[in-house]
Amino acid sequence: MRTSQQLRGFTLLELLVVMVIIGLLVGYVAPKYFAQLGKSEVKAARAQINSLSKALDLYRLDTGHYPTQDEGLNALNTAPSNEPKWQGPYLQKEVPLDPWGKAYVYRIPGEKNEYDLFSYGKDNKPGGTEDNADIYN
């Protein structure tokens, strides 16, 4: 026959101490994890912009000019009707969206370069800081 000492479980106080410890660990680790997640999205956007810029440069080498504003980035995958020198497609897949699910902005002539290729960042608004900052070519 078992005594009450052998059937003893955890007390409410012991369970509360364990919950507090787990809460403290989550409170310490979660902000660091989510900060890294934001940094990886910015790095992914920079890498995609770099890749798109290289494809635009190849387009220019073949045709002698960058795609017009109306043709946009779609000219990298689909030959414009008035472009006989087009040798593409210049991308293996469709033009990607930025890591926040928005289309990259392509402007020609650009304000900062011959053309501007950028993402408005997480907030999808001009300007901003950190994750919300605009990411340009």
Short mmCIF file of all heavy atoms in Angstrom, two decimals, residues 30-84:
data_model
loop_
_atom_site.label_atom_id
_atom_site.label_comp_id
_atom_site.label_asym_id
_atom_site.label_seq_id
_atom_site.Cartn_x
_atom_site.Cartn_y
_atom_site.Cartn_z
N ALA A 30 12.65 35.80 -27.20
CA ALA A 30 11.75 36.22 -28.27
C ALA A 30 12.17 37.54 -28.93
O ALA A 30 12.20 37.61 -30.16
CB ALA A 30 10.32 36.31 -27.75
N PRO A 31 12.49 38.60 -28.19
CA PRO A 31 12.90 39.84 -28.88
C PRO A 31 14.14 39.66 -29.75
O PRO A 31 14.23 40.24 -30.83
CB PRO A 31 13.18 40.81 -27.73
CG PRO A 31 12.40 40.29 -26.58
CD PRO A 31 12.39 38.80 -26.75
N LYS A 32 15.09 38.87 -29.30
CA LYS A 32 16.30 38.63 -30.10
C LYS A 32 15.96 37.86 -31.37
O LYS A 32 16.49 38.13 -32.44
CB LYS A 32 17.34 37.88 -29.28
CG LYS A 32 17.90 38.72 -28.13
CD LYS A 32 18.98 37.98 -27.41
CE LYS A 32 19.50 38.77 -26.24
NZ LYS A 32 20.26 39.93 -26.61
N TYR A 33 15.06 36.91 -31.27
CA TYR A 33 14.64 36.13 -32.43
C TYR A 33 13.95 37.02 -33.46
O TYR A 33 14.26 36.98 -34.65
CB TYR A 33 13.72 34.99 -32.01
CG TYR A 33 13.08 34.28 -33.17
CD1 TYR A 33 13.81 33.38 -33.94
CD2 TYR A 33 11.76 34.52 -33.52
CE1 TYR A 33 13.23 32.72 -35.01
CE2 TYR A 33 11.18 33.88 -34.58
CZ TYR A 33 11.91 32.99 -35.33
OH TYR A 33 11.33 32.35 -36.39
N PHE A 34 13.00 37.84 -33.02
CA PHE A 34 12.25 38.67 -33.95
C PHE A 34 13.11 39.78 -34.53
O PHE A 34 12.88 40.22 -35.66
CB PHE A 34 10.98 39.21 -33.30
CG PHE A 34 9.94 38.15 -33.11
CD1 PHE A 34 9.57 37.74 -31.85
CD2 PHE A 34 9.36 37.52 -34.20
CE1 PHE A 34 8.62 36.74 -31.67
CE2 PHE A 34 8.42 36.52 -34.05
CZ PHE A 34 8.04 36.14 -32.78
N ALA A 35 14.11 40.25 -33.81
CA ALA A 35 15.04 41.24 -34.36
C ALA A 35 15.83 40.62 -35.51
O ALA A 35 16.07 41.27 -36.53
CB ALA A 35 15.98 41.75 -33.27
N GLN A 36 16.25 39.38 -35.36
CA GLN A 36 16.98 38.70 -36.42
C GLN A 36 16.09 38.45 -37.64
O GLN A 36 16.55 38.53 -38.78
CB GLN A 36 17.55 37.37 -35.92
CG GLN A 36 18.66 37.52 -34.92
CD GLN A 36 19.84 38.28 -35.49
OE1 GLN A 36 20.24 38.10 -36.63
NE2 GLN A 36 20.39 39.17 -34.69
N LEU A 37 14.81 38.18 -37.41
CA LEU A 37 13.88 37.96 -38.49
C LEU A 37 13.76 39.21 -39.35
O LEU A 37 13.78 39.14 -40.57
CB LEU A 37 12.51 37.54 -37.94
CG LEU A 37 11.43 37.22 -38.97
CD1 LEU A 37 11.85 36.02 -39.81
CD2 LEU A 37 10.11 36.94 -38.27
N GLY A 38 13.66 40.39 -38.72
CA GLY A 38 13.58 41.65 -39.45
C GLY A 38 14.84 41.90 -40.27
O GLY A 38 14.77 42.37 -41.40
N LYS A 39 16.00 41.59 -39.70
CA LYS A 39 17.26 41.78 -40.42
C LYS A 39 17.33 40.87 -41.64
O LYS A 39 17.85 41.25 -42.68
CB LYS A 39 18.45 41.51 -39.50
CG LYS A 39 18.66 42.57 -38.45
CD LYS A 39 19.84 42.21 -37.55
CE LYS A 39 19.97 43.18 -36.41
NZ LYS A 39 21.04 42.79 -35.49
N SER A 40 16.82 39.65 -41.52
CA SER A 40 16.88 38.72 -42.65
C SER A 40 15.98 39.18 -43.79
O SER A 40 16.31 38.97 -44.96
CB SER A 40 16.53 37.30 -42.21
OG SER A 40 15.18 37.22 -41.82
N GLU A 41 14.85 39.81 -43.49
CA GLU A 41 13.98 40.33 -44.54
C GLU A 41 14.67 41.45 -45.30
O GLU A 41 14.59 41.52 -46.52
CB GLU A 41 12.66 40.82 -43.94
CG GLU A 41 11.76 39.69 -43.47
CD GLU A 41 10.56 40.17 -42.71
OE1 GLU A 41 10.62 41.25 -42.08
OE2 GLU A 41 9.53 39.46 -42.74
N VAL A 42 15.37 42.33 -44.59
CA VAL A 42 16.10 43.42 -45.23
C VAL A 42 17.22 42.85 -46.11
O VAL A 42 17.42 43.29 -47.25
CB VAL A 42 16.66 44.40 -44.18
CG1 VAL A 42 17.61 45.40 -44.80
CG2 VAL A 42 15.52 45.12 -43.47
N LYS A 43 17.94 41.85 -45.60
CA LYS A 43 19.00 41.22 -46.40
C LYS A 43 18.42 40.55 -47.64
O LYS A 43 19.02 40.61 -48.72
CB LYS A 43 19.76 40.20 -45.55
CG LYS A 43 20.67 40.82 -44.52
CD LYS A 43 21.39 39.77 -43.70
CE LYS A 43 22.25 40.40 -42.62
NZ LYS A 43 22.90 39.39 -41.78
N ALA A 44 17.28 39.91 -47.51
CA ALA A 44 16.65 39.26 -48.67
C ALA A 44 16.24 40.30 -49.71
O ALA A 44 16.43 40.09 -50.91
CB ALA A 44 15.43 38.45 -48.22
N ALA A 45 15.70 41.43 -49.27
CA ALA A 45 15.32 42.49 -50.20
C ALA A 45 16.55 43.03 -50.93
O ALA A 45 16.51 43.25 -52.15
CB ALA A 45 14.61 43.62 -49.45
N ARG A 46 17.64 43.24 -50.21
CA ARG A 46 18.87 43.72 -50.85
C ARG A 46 19.38 42.72 -51.89
O ARG A 46 19.81 43.10 -52.98
CB ARG A 46 19.94 43.99 -49.81
CG ARG A 46 19.70 45.26 -49.04
CD ARG A 46 20.93 45.68 -48.24
NE ARG A 46 20.65 46.92 -47.54
CZ ARG A 46 20.65 47.07 -46.24
NH1 ARG A 46 20.97 46.06 -45.45
NH2 ARG A 46 20.36 48.24 -45.70
N ALA A 47 19.32 41.45 -51.56
CA ALA A 47 19.78 40.41 -52.49
C ALA A 47 18.89 40.37 -53.73
O ALA A 47 19.39 40.24 -54.86
CB ALA A 47 19.80 39.06 -51.80
N GLN A 48 17.58 40.49 -53.56
CA GLN A 48 16.67 40.48 -54.71
C GLN A 48 16.88 41.71 -55.58
O GLN A 48 16.89 41.61 -56.82
CB GLN A 48 15.22 40.41 -54.24
CG GLN A 48 14.83 39.05 -53.73
CD GLN A 48 13.40 39.00 -53.23
OE1 GLN A 48 12.84 39.99 -52.78
NE2 GLN A 48 12.80 37.82 -53.31
N ILE A 49 17.07 42.87 -54.97
CA ILE A 49 17.32 44.10 -55.74
C ILE A 49 18.62 43.97 -56.51
O ILE A 49 18.70 44.36 -57.69
CB ILE A 49 17.32 45.33 -54.81
CG1 ILE A 49 15.89 45.63 -54.37
CG2 ILE A 49 17.95 46.53 -55.51
CD1 ILE A 49 15.77 46.72 -53.32
N ASN A 50 19.64 43.39 -55.90
CA ASN A 50 20.91 43.17 -56.58
C ASN A 50 20.72 42.25 -57.78
O ASN A 50 21.25 42.50 -58.87
CB ASN A 50 21.93 42.60 -55.59
CG ASN A 50 23.31 42.51 -56.17
OD1 ASN A 50 23.69 43.29 -57.02
ND2 ASN A 50 24.08 41.54 -55.70
N SER A 51 19.97 41.18 -57.62
CA SER A 51 19.72 40.23 -58.70
C SER A 51 18.93 40.90 -59.83
O SER A 51 19.24 40.71 -61.01
CB SER A 51 18.97 39.03 -58.15
OG SER A 51 18.62 38.15 -59.18
N LEU A 52 17.91 41.66 -59.48
CA LEU A 52 17.12 42.36 -60.49
C LEU A 52 17.97 43.40 -61.22
O LEU A 52 17.82 43.59 -62.44
CB LEU A 52 15.89 43.01 -59.86
CG LEU A 52 14.81 42.05 -59.37
CD1 LEU A 52 13.76 42.78 -58.54
CD2 LEU A 52 14.17 41.32 -60.53
N SER A 53 18.87 44.07 -60.51
CA SER A 53 19.75 45.06 -61.13
C SER A 53 20.66 44.40 -62.16
O SER A 53 20.90 44.95 -63.24
CB SER A 53 20.59 45.77 -60.08
OG SER A 53 19.78 46.55 -59.23
N LYS A 54 21.17 43.23 -61.83
CA LYS A 54 22.02 42.50 -62.79
C LYS A 54 21.22 42.09 -64.02
O LYS A 54 21.72 42.17 -65.14
CB LYS A 54 22.65 41.29 -62.11
CG LYS A 54 23.73 41.66 -61.12
CD LYS A 54 24.30 40.45 -60.42
CE LYS A 54 25.35 40.90 -59.40
NZ LYS A 54 25.87 39.81 -58.62
N ALA A 55 19.98 41.66 -63.83
CA ALA A 55 19.14 41.30 -64.97
C ALA A 55 18.85 42.53 -65.82
O ALA A 55 18.86 42.46 -67.06
CB ALA A 55 17.84 40.67 -64.47
N LEU A 56 18.62 43.68 -65.18
CA LEU A 56 18.40 44.92 -65.94
C LEU A 56 19.65 45.31 -66.73
O LEU A 56 19.55 45.78 -67.87
CB LEU A 56 17.99 46.05 -64.99
CG LEU A 56 16.56 45.99 -64.46
CD1 LEU A 56 16.38 46.93 -63.27
CD2 LEU A 56 15.57 46.30 -65.56
N ASP A 57 20.82 45.09 -66.14
CA ASP A 57 22.07 45.39 -66.85
C ASP A 57 22.24 44.48 -68.07
O ASP A 57 22.69 44.93 -69.13
CB ASP A 57 23.27 45.26 -65.91
CG ASP A 57 23.31 46.37 -64.87
OD1 ASP A 57 22.65 47.42 -65.06
OD2 ASP A 57 23.99 46.19 -63.84
N LEU A 58 21.88 43.21 -67.95
CA LEU A 58 21.94 42.30 -69.10
C LEU A 58 20.97 42.74 -70.19
O LEU A 58 21.29 42.70 -71.38
CB LEU A 58 21.64 40.86 -68.66
CG LEU A 58 22.71 40.16 -67.85
CD1 LEU A 58 22.20 38.82 -67.34
CD2 LEU A 58 23.96 39.98 -68.68
N TYR A 59 19.79 43.16 -69.79
CA TYR A 59 18.81 43.67 -70.74
C TYR A 59 19.40 44.86 -71.49
O TYR A 59 19.30 44.95 -72.72
CB TYR A 59 17.54 44.09 -69.97
CG TYR A 59 16.44 44.65 -70.84
CD1 TYR A 59 15.39 43.85 -71.24
CD2 TYR A 59 16.44 45.98 -71.25
CE1 TYR A 59 14.35 44.36 -72.03
CE2 TYR A 59 15.44 46.50 -72.04
CZ TYR A 59 14.39 45.69 -72.42
OH TYR A 59 13.38 46.18 -73.21
N ARG A 60 20.05 45.75 -70.76
CA ARG A 60 20.65 46.93 -71.39
C ARG A 60 21.78 46.54 -72.35
O ARG A 60 21.93 47.13 -73.42
CB ARG A 60 21.19 47.88 -70.33
CG ARG A 60 21.78 49.13 -70.92
CD ARG A 60 22.27 50.07 -69.86
NE ARG A 60 22.78 51.27 -70.48
CZ ARG A 60 23.80 51.96 -70.04
NH1 ARG A 60 24.43 51.56 -68.94
NH2 ARG A 60 24.21 53.03 -70.65
N LEU A 61 22.60 45.56 -71.97
CA LEU A 61 23.67 45.11 -72.87
C LEU A 61 23.10 44.60 -74.20
O LEU A 61 23.68 44.84 -75.26
CB LEU A 61 24.50 44.02 -72.20
CG LEU A 61 25.47 44.47 -71.13
CD1 LEU A 61 26.09 43.25 -70.44
CD2 LEU A 61 26.56 45.35 -71.72
N ASP A 62 21.99 43.89 -74.13
CA ASP A 62 21.39 43.34 -75.35
C ASP A 62 20.68 44.40 -76.19
O ASP A 62 20.78 44.40 -77.41
CB ASP A 62 20.40 42.22 -75.01
CG ASP A 62 21.10 40.95 -74.56
OD1 ASP A 62 22.32 40.82 -74.77
OD2 ASP A 62 20.41 40.09 -73.99
N THR A 63 19.93 45.27 -75.54
CA THR A 63 19.06 46.19 -76.27
C THR A 63 19.62 47.59 -76.43
O THR A 63 19.14 48.36 -77.24
CB THR A 63 17.69 46.30 -75.57
OG1 THR A 63 17.89 46.88 -74.27
CG2 THR A 63 17.03 44.94 -75.45
N GLY A 64 20.60 47.94 -75.59
CA GLY A 64 21.17 49.29 -75.65
C GLY A 64 20.49 50.28 -74.72
O GLY A 64 20.88 51.44 -74.66
N HIS A 65 19.47 49.85 -74.01
CA HIS A 65 18.76 50.73 -73.07
C HIS A 65 18.05 49.88 -72.02
O HIS A 65 17.83 48.69 -72.21
CB HIS A 65 17.76 51.62 -73.81
CG HIS A 65 16.74 50.83 -74.57
ND1 HIS A 65 15.60 50.32 -74.00
CD2 HIS A 65 16.71 50.42 -75.87
CE1 HIS A 65 14.90 49.65 -74.90
NE2 HIS A 65 15.57 49.70 -76.05
N TYR A 66 17.67 50.53 -70.92
CA TYR A 66 16.89 49.85 -69.90
C TYR A 66 15.42 49.83 -70.32
O TYR A 66 15.00 50.63 -71.17
CB TYR A 66 17.03 50.57 -68.55
CG TYR A 66 18.40 50.41 -67.93
CD1 TYR A 66 19.29 51.49 -67.84
CD2 TYR A 66 18.82 49.19 -67.42
CE1 TYR A 66 20.54 51.34 -67.27
CE2 TYR A 66 20.07 49.02 -66.85
CZ TYR A 66 20.92 50.10 -66.77
OH TYR A 66 22.16 49.95 -66.22
N PRO A 67 14.62 48.95 -69.74
CA PRO A 67 13.18 48.95 -70.06
C PRO A 67 12.56 50.31 -69.71
O PRO A 67 12.99 50.98 -68.78
CB PRO A 67 12.60 47.86 -69.16
CG PRO A 67 13.75 47.02 -68.75
CD PRO A 67 14.96 47.90 -68.77
N THR A 68 11.57 50.69 -70.48
CA THR A 68 10.88 51.94 -70.20
C THR A 68 10.05 51.80 -68.92
O THR A 68 9.84 50.69 -68.42
CB THR A 68 9.94 52.32 -71.35
OG1 THR A 68 8.91 51.33 -71.44
CG2 THR A 68 10.70 52.43 -72.67
N GLN A 69 9.54 52.92 -68.46
CA GLN A 69 8.68 52.91 -67.26
C GLN A 69 7.45 52.05 -67.52
O GLN A 69 7.03 51.27 -66.66
CB GLN A 69 8.27 54.34 -66.91
CG GLN A 69 7.48 54.47 -65.64
CD GLN A 69 8.34 54.29 -64.40
OE1 GLN A 69 9.46 54.78 -64.34
NE2 GLN A 69 7.82 53.58 -63.43
N ASP A 70 6.87 52.16 -68.72
CA ASP A 70 5.67 51.39 -69.03
C ASP A 70 5.95 49.89 -69.12
O ASP A 70 5.14 49.07 -68.71
CB ASP A 70 5.05 51.88 -70.35
CG ASP A 70 4.47 53.28 -70.22
OD1 ASP A 70 4.09 53.67 -69.09
OD2 ASP A 70 4.39 53.97 -71.25
N GLU A 71 7.11 49.53 -69.68
CA GLU A 71 7.46 48.11 -69.78
C GLU A 71 7.77 47.53 -68.41
O GLU A 71 7.41 46.39 -68.12
CB GLU A 71 8.68 47.93 -70.69
CG GLU A 71 8.41 48.29 -72.13
CD GLU A 71 9.67 48.44 -72.96
OE1 GLU A 71 10.78 48.50 -72.38
OE2 GLU A 71 9.54 48.51 -74.18
N GLY A 72 8.42 48.31 -67.58
CA GLY A 72 8.72 47.91 -66.21
C GLY A 72 9.57 46.65 -66.13
O GLY A 72 10.23 46.26 -67.08
N LEU A 73 9.54 46.03 -64.98
CA LEU A 73 10.34 44.83 -64.74
C LEU A 73 9.82 43.61 -65.50
O LEU A 73 10.54 42.63 -65.68
CB LEU A 73 10.41 44.53 -63.24
CG LEU A 73 11.09 45.59 -62.38
CD1 LEU A 73 10.99 45.23 -60.91
CD2 LEU A 73 12.53 45.78 -62.80
N ASN A 74 8.59 43.67 -65.99
CA ASN A 74 8.04 42.55 -66.76
C ASN A 74 8.82 42.34 -68.05
O ASN A 74 8.80 41.24 -68.62
CB ASN A 74 6.56 42.78 -67.06
CG ASN A 74 5.72 42.66 -65.81
OD1 ASN A 74 6.07 41.93 -64.90
ND2 ASN A 74 4.63 43.40 -65.77
N ALA A 75 9.52 43.38 -68.54
CA ALA A 75 10.32 43.25 -69.75
C ALA A 75 11.49 42.28 -69.56
O ALA A 75 12.10 41.85 -70.53
CB ALA A 75 10.85 44.62 -70.18
N LEU A 76 11.79 41.93 -68.32
CA LEU A 76 12.87 40.98 -68.07
C LEU A 76 12.45 39.55 -68.39
O LEU A 76 13.29 38.70 -68.63
CB LEU A 76 13.33 41.08 -66.61
CG LEU A 76 13.92 42.42 -66.19
CD1 LEU A 76 14.19 42.43 -64.69
CD2 LEU A 76 15.18 42.72 -66.98
N ASN A 77 11.15 39.28 -68.40
CA ASN A 77 10.64 37.94 -68.68
C ASN A 77 9.88 37.83 -70.00
O ASN A 77 9.82 36.76 -70.58
CB ASN A 77 9.72 37.46 -67.55
CG ASN A 77 10.51 37.03 -66.35
OD1 ASN A 77 11.63 36.55 -66.47
ND2 ASN A 77 9.93 37.20 -65.17
N THR A 78 9.28 38.92 -70.42
CA THR A 78 8.45 38.93 -71.63
C THR A 78 8.98 39.99 -72.58
O THR A 78 9.14 41.15 -72.20
CB THR A 78 6.98 39.26 -71.27
OG1 THR A 78 6.55 38.35 -70.27
CG2 THR A 78 6.09 39.14 -72.49
N ALA A 79 9.25 39.60 -73.80
CA ALA A 79 9.81 40.53 -74.78
C ALA A 79 8.81 41.65 -75.08
O ALA A 79 7.66 41.37 -75.43
CB ALA A 79 10.16 39.80 -76.07
N PRO A 80 9.24 42.89 -74.95
CA PRO A 80 8.37 44.00 -75.38
C PRO A 80 8.12 43.90 -76.89
O PRO A 80 9.00 43.48 -77.65
CB PRO A 80 9.19 45.25 -75.03
CG PRO A 80 10.16 44.79 -73.99
CD PRO A 80 10.47 43.37 -74.32
N SER A 81 6.96 44.29 -77.32
CA SER A 81 6.58 44.12 -78.73
C SER A 81 7.46 44.95 -79.67
O SER A 81 7.62 44.58 -80.83
CB SER A 81 5.11 44.50 -78.92
OG SER A 81 4.90 45.84 -78.49
N ASN A 82 8.02 46.03 -79.19
CA ASN A 82 8.83 46.90 -80.04
C ASN A 82 10.33 46.75 -79.80
O ASN A 82 11.08 47.68 -80.05
CB ASN A 82 8.41 48.36 -79.83
CG ASN A 82 8.60 48.80 -78.38
OD1 ASN A 82 8.82 47.97 -77.51
ND2 ASN A 82 8.51 50.09 -78.15
N GLU A 83 10.76 45.58 -79.31
CA GLU A 83 12.18 45.39 -78.98
C GLU A 83 12.76 44.17 -79.73
O GLU A 83 12.72 43.05 -79.22
CB GLU A 83 12.36 45.22 -77.47
CG GLU A 83 13.78 45.25 -77.02
CD GLU A 83 14.52 46.47 -77.54
OE1 GLU A 83 14.19 47.59 -77.11
OE2 GLU A 83 15.41 46.31 -78.40
N PRO A 84 13.32 44.38 -80.94
CA PRO A 84 13.84 43.25 -81.72
C PRO A 84 15.14 42.65 -81.16
O PRO A 84 15.45 41.50 -81.46
CB PRO A 84 14.07 43.86 -83.10
CG PRO A 84 14.28 45.32 -82.85
CD PRO A 84 13.43 45.65 -81.65
#
